Amino acid sequence: MFAILQAAGWPIWPLLFASIVAVALIIERLLTLRRSKILPDGLLEKVVAELRQTGATPEMINRVALSSPMGRVFAAGLRNMRSSREVMKESIEEAGRAVTHDLERFLTTLGTIASISPLMGLFGTVVGMIEIFGSQTPGGSNPQQLAHGISIALYNTGFGLVIAMPSMIFWRHFRATVDGFVIEMEQQAIRLVEVVHGERR
């Protein structure tokens, strides 16, 4: 491995750093964006059942808010359940925007790595080409310097693509996952509003 890094030259180090960051972000998002953690099964039914039994007590609202991101959205609505339907919906939408922002955390960084890695690899290719041209002397080319320039060009291009492809795949996957969670949270929040205002049993 060290021999490959040595052959790839100094342009490989920014790519290596980008790969470490990308792997860390992918692992973090895989652990965070789990359905059981974001949208616990049966949460709406539990909230509605407790609401009918004991009402929206401060303790119950705080417990719901701490349970999950969807619980935060429900709690925002429950804090304003005595207000009009519009006010309750607005409070849920505000909480939903904050939750969506949290769910999209680090995705911009991952998308940036996916976009910039091929460019960083291309930069390494340019450095390698400079090495190749630098190996040309009036007496002919320096084979060792020529080989080094070619290895820099090829290793950096390849490594840039290796980083970019999985980063792009996971970025798209996480974006789609977040979008799906947001739509489902909206649907369940609307059901809660309808239950509270007597439009649904």
Side-chain angles (χ1 to χ4, degrees):
M1 184 66 182
F2 182 72
I4 292 173
L5 294 176
Q6 207 170 18
W10 65 265
I12 201 76
W13 293 106
L15 280 167
L16 191 62
F17 176 73
S19 70
I20 293 167
V21 172
V23 168
L25 293 181
I26 288 167
I27 292 170
E28 191 275 338
R29 289 290 89 187
L30 283 171
L31 294 174
T32 302
L33 296 177
R34 287 177 294 170
R35 184 180 178 80
S36 60
K37 202 170 177 182
I38 308 298
L39 303 169
D41 289 335
L43 180 61
L44 177 62
E45 290 74 15
K46 289 175 188 172
V47 169
V48 170
E50 193 167 349
L51 194 59
R52 286 172 177 158
Q53 283 179 0
T54 60
T57 62
E59 294 78 14
M60 175 262 205
I61 292 172
N62 287 336
R63 191 170 65 253
V64 169
L66 294 172
S67 67
S68 63
M70 188 166 70
R72 281 170 56 193
V73 174
F74 287 171
L78 292 172
R79 288 189 185 102
N80 294 277
M81 63 180 289
R82 309 216 187 284
S83 304
S84 66
R85 189 181 196 276
E86 289 70 30
V87 170
M88 188 175 177
K89 276 188 72 176
E90 281 176 16
S91 63
I92 283 173
E93 286 168 4
E94 287 172 8
R97 281 192 290 272
V99 166
T100 302
H101 182 266
D102 289 346
L103 294 179
E104 290 177 343
R105 191 178 174 210
F106 301 134
L107 293 191
T108 302
T109 306
L110 187 59
T112 301
I113 290 172
S115 302
I116 206 171
S117 293
L119 296 176
M120 292 167 73
L122 184 61
F123 172 73
T125 303
V126 171
V127 172
M129 296 298 289
I130 292 169
E131 287 265 346
I132 291 169
F133 286 117
S135 70
Q136 305 299 317
T137 62
S141 61
N142 181 340
Q144 192 173 358
Q145 195 173 354
L146 179 65
H148 184 60
I150 292 170
S151 64
I152 288 175
L154 294 178
Y155 275 125
N156 281 279
T157 304
F159 203 58
L161 293 173
V162 165
I163 296 167
M165 287 186 287
S167 297
M168 180 62 75
I169 289 167
F170 277 103
W171 177 75
R172 286 184 176 274
H173 167 70
F174 292 142
R175 292 286 309 180
T177 302
V178 170
D179 289 345
F181 285 159
V182 169
I183 289 169
E184 194 162 343
M185 276 192 278
E186 285 175 0
Q187 291 173 340
Q188 297 211 30
I190 288 168
R191 285 174 60 194
L192 179 64
V193 172
E194 289 173 348
V195 167
V196 167
H197 287 275
E199 296 166 17
R200 183 181 292 204
R201 298 177 69 99

